Amino acid sequence: MATSFHRTTMRGGKRAAWLMTGASSLLAVALAMPAQAQTQTDLQNNVAPGTAAPQPAVPVTANETSAAQAGSPQDAATAQDVSQGNSVEAGDPDIVVVGLRGSLQRNLDLKRESSGVVDVISAEDIGKFPDSNVAASLQRLPGVSIQRSGSRGEPTGITVRGFGGDFNTTLYDGRRIATGTGNRQIDFSTVGVDFIGQLSVLKTPDVSLASSSIGATVNIAFPNPFDHPGFRAAATASASVQDRAGRVVPTGGLLISSTNADETFGVLADVIYTRRDTDTNRVYVSGWPGGNYAPCQLAGSSGTCTPTTNTQSAAYANPANRQNLPGWFPQQYGAEQQRVKDERVDARVSLQYHPSDDLMLTIDNNFSRQNITQNNYAFGVWFNQGDLRNVTLDANGTATDFTQANTPTDFTAALNKQILQTNQTGLNVKYDATENLTLEGDVAYAKSWLNPGDVIGSANGDIGYGNRLGNVLRFTVDGASNKAFPSISNFGPAGDGSRWADQSLIGSHVTVNQTQHNTDELVQFRGNATWKQDDLTLKAGGQYYQDTFNFRNQSTFVNNFWQAYAGYGAPSGGTSGISPLPAGLYQGSISLDNFIPGFNGSLPPSVFVFDPIAYQNFLTSQGNPSATQVPGFNYGNVNGFTGTFDEQVDPGSILRVRERTWSLYASANFKTEVGGLPLTINAGIRNETTNLVSTGQSRLPILLVTSTADRTLLSVPTDGGYTAVQPQTIRNSYSYLLPSMDAKLELTDNLILRIDASRTLTRPTLNLLNPALNVGSGQRIGALNASSGNANLKPYLADNFDLGAEWYYRRNSYLAVNFFLKNVSNFIVGGVTRQTINGVVDPTTGTLASFAVSQQVNGPDATVRGVELAWQQVFGDTGFGFQANATFVDTNRPYDDKDISQTGFAVTGLANSANFVGFYDKSGFQIRAALNWRDEYLQAFGQNQNTGSFGAEPTFVNQSFQVDLTSSFDVTKNFSVFGEALNLNKNKQSTHGRYSNQLLDVFDYGRRFTLGARYRF
């Protein structure tokens, strides 16, 4: 069992005396002789098979500890002569197992002792976590895969057993954390990893912790002063560079921890500054909407072509004009370079008061602020299905070749900023009321802000040429999306490719500023009592959460200022727009030659580099169009513009959701024997009741008008174009009983059989709970859209079953297989339906406007099943070893690409995956190579442009394989240097639509190299 470091009352004569002496001498060894400790760890593999693993000092779930145990140093768990397992006599030397192999052994100890299915990653030492990112560490575990940010290449989220994002709950020291992103999941790139103590992934629930995750519960344990009593300090500094960006940027951190001489009070503080600069090349198709072609649009057709669905029109009399051939087309195509600066500050303060064995008080505060600044430089061309000619459709209905007349060309620059700030303060009290009874109370307050203050989330400048300079552009699909992007030809003004970037012909177009402001405020309380006696542990308690989410968007779409100077100017034949633009606005260009190495496809020559803020200032300098006549201003469509591109709050984006959840739980853990074999059973039950209040605002269009500045645009007039704003409030409540049972049977000293059954739930994402239907003011011809939330959504509900076996055949080595089955009901489906709204007429057709309305509804049930395989092997005293795992998943509801109904459904996130980590760790030198593979999978329903007639189009992520390398060397007992090389094989991230040749995105984010040093004492 875990031991107390200082005042805990001991029993057992010689053993008690050894434990007190051993724990005390451990601290001396840890502080004064770390070099010797490192050398001694080589003994850890010289253990005969069958030796029992040591007991961990701190359980995976922190609220299982008593007040006395909470004051015990974590190092005491391994303070033993590992060459003799647990059979240690008085006088034997005490050592601390550190380094990678020590960390791996501690992980196995925790996994083995847990009653449920748990995987753990521990720090190798204070200030030394195995990876530079939390999600990157987690992907080494069986059943866990990661999602990357395309623009940064950073791991931002995880998928566990096929369930990603909001299906997984992430806790800080057993507490939920607020997140202003609008989702329940956290962005793992916002978590400073340097001073994390432990990551635990609970694949079967602990009812006293949470049952609100169908995938897994991830508990991030941060350090406290009594984890390492006395004075401890750790400092880290590094520099990193991404090969394309070429800018060397710093990262640094400092941790200081100290306890007083009587070990009654301790304080810990740390701060970490992290910066990552990334230049990413991207080729994109914003969406592949489905619709119907007319026969006259197909290759080989001749004569006039007037595609129509209006049965009353004259054109409909000719069957060749009737749009009745289903197929897909690219909505918008382009390429861009994204230059990202990601800065993050993380800080923690923890105070602990341990006046007696019976009482431990902990007060802590965690702070994080991430500031992402991104400059984008791109070109884009827009397509309308009805304007396409000479269309070639493949067997699946994908347009693989076509032309479009009068295609405008846009060059864009954007300055995007996102600030995500989170702060959490908590108080935890543990009191040992009796020798057997421990009482615990925990309260925390957290708040998260997305874009606090006056920041503009995205400032955009759009220039180019169109109208009479538009060309008969040709678009061609060159292959599958994992190896090719589409090609365009006959580009340039009127098809003259040599004048692609002729500044004398380029004029002003749209100007979009928009900002998302969110706050998430979370209050939580937990209280429980734990009774421990011999082989029985009883626990009972309750939890309360109040989560209040506020959502607001503001933009120049709302007031129509976005098209104030649209039209491209005189060379394009526009009556609005300014051309030419001042030469001083252009700051150079980016070549698109060999833009995505290893991918087939051809692009135009280049994109411009220009400052969107300087561009907006130039337009503002033209004067106040409301006070004087300003040449180039779009008087036909914009009212109230006084010269500045001010954002206006969208009334329909305002949303407030308050969610209150009460939980009661009880569990029993007991050990017995069956047929002489040790059996551990943990049974629990949790009841959760949720009350929700969602308040939004609805406004509907009365009128749509065309734009004189852009033939592809439709807009809602700001003056009299909408109905009055109508507030709407919906209340919803539900209650569920969530049982759980874990059984662990020790067939031999080394072979464990596990059987687990549970019921868990996942609540709908907060930003899906808007009760109102809303139509944005910025619309496109043939691509009208609207959105509606659903505050009556029920949570996903899953019945889970696990059957596994683990063979610990020697120290630091094991084999495991785990079968799992999840029956999930109440799946939330993102449906898209075609609807008329408020009797609004489409001015381009003269008929009722047809909007693609997206809304979330509870859908059908599904079953997910799979198997996890894991193997860890350390080769004796050689220092060599490896970790390998693979996960295979399947479902009875796979995606059907032939289903073009508007209510298609499939389970998202399911992908086979495999990971291999080979390492060498001996005599202070460590090197580790990690190979991570994930098969293609359905990520989500919906695309950037999802305006088709066949419902929510899918987004698939292509197969990926990445190789990372890390190494470190202990120069002295306190000082080490380290290096890291990420994405050595230059893996690219790509996605596609319904079919594999419908490329959506390909990101090339290159390699990153880091060199740094750590100092600890």
Side-chain angles (χ1 to χ4, degrees), residues 718-780:
T718 56
D719 185 11
Y722 281 104
T723 61
V725 174
Q726 296 292 329
Q728 295 185 14
T729 297
I730 290 183
R731 299 176 183 272
N732 188 19
S733 63
Y734 47 82
S735 181
Y736 290 95
L737 199 63
L738 307 171
S740 175
M741 190 279 292
D742 304 300
K744 180 178 69 173
L745 181 64
E746 299 179 42
L747 300 176
T748 70
D749 289 342
N750 301 320
L751 182 61
I752 294 174
L753 177 68
R754 296 185 186 272
I755 301 175
D756 308 88
S758 65
R759 170 169 284 189
T760 54
L761 60 80
T762 291
R763 292 180 177 82
T765 305
L766 293 171
N767 61 0
L768 299 181
L769 301 176
N770 193 329
L773 171 65
N774 282 285
V775 179
S777 59
Q779 300 285 337
R780 292 277 188 173

Side-chain angles (χ1 to χ4, degrees), residues 288-291 328 830-834 852-854 895 899-904 941-943 945-954 994:
W288 286 83
W328 289 263
V832 176
T833 58
R834 304 296 302 189
V853 179
S854 59
Y895 182 72
D899 182 1
I900 60 173
S901 69
Q902 296 175 346
T903 57
F941 284 94
Q943 300 171 0
Q945 298 284 347
N946 200 118
T947 56
S949 301
F950 305 148
E953 290 293 324
R994 185 179 292 252

Side-chain angles (χ1 to χ4, degrees), residues 642-702:
T642 59
T644 57
F645 292 91
D646 302 320
E647 298 174 323
Q648 182 175 328
V649 174
D650 179 2
S653 72
I654 296 176
L655 172 66
R656 176 182 173 87
V657 178
R658 188 191 67 193
E659 183 181 78
R660 291 174 172 172
T661 299
W662 295 263
S663 303
L664 295 174
Y665 55 83
S667 67
N669 184 296
F670 60 93
K671 297 180 181 179
T672 184
E673 289 189 354
V674 174
L677 302 178
L679 173 66
T680 302
I681 293 179
N682 186 72
I685 193 164
R686 183 183 180 98
N687 185 81
E688 294 200 349
T689 300
T690 298
N691 291 334
L692 180 141
V693 180
S694 177
T695 301
Q697 298 185 146
S698 176
R699 64 172 190 166
L700 301 178
I702 298 172

Side-chain angles (χ1 to χ4, degrees), residues 81 141 195 208 261 323 331 361 378 395 475 524 532 542 569 662 669 699 714 740 854 894 945 1010:
D81 184 347
L141 300 176
F195 301 134
S208 67
Q323 292 178 277
Q331 188 78 82
L361 285 82
F475 176 95
Q524 54 193 303
K532 292 183 179 181
W662 295 263
N669 184 296
R699 64 172 190 166
L714 287 174
S740 175
S854 59
Q945 298 284 347
T1010 301

Side-chain angles (χ1 to χ4, degrees), residues 847-870:
T847 61
L848 290 176
S850 178
F851 292 84
V853 179
S854 59
Q855 185 181 33
Q856 309 294 319
V857 296
N858 285 111
D861 301 348
T863 297
V864 175
R865 50 191 173 260
V867 58
E868 296 170 349
L869 306 173

Side-chain angles (χ1 to χ4, degrees), residues 358-413:
D358 301 331
L359 182 64
M360 170 65 82
L361 285 82
T362 303
I363 300 175
D364 56 67
N365 181 274
N366 294 307
F367 172 84
S368 174
R369 181 180 174 95
Q370 183 184 48
N371 192 333
I372 299 176
T373 303
Q374 180 172 318
N375 288 280
N376 294 352
Y377 308 104
F379 87 88
V381 290
W382 181 270
F383 302 111
N384 289 309
Q385 188 173 27
D387 294 336
L388 308 186
R389 300 294 184 268
N390 304 306
V391 178
T392 298
L393 300 176
D394 68 8
N396 292 321
T398 300
T400 58
D401 198 340
F402 61 80
T403 60
Q404 178 176 275
N406 303 315
T407 304
T409 297
D410 291 82
F411 298 95
T412 62

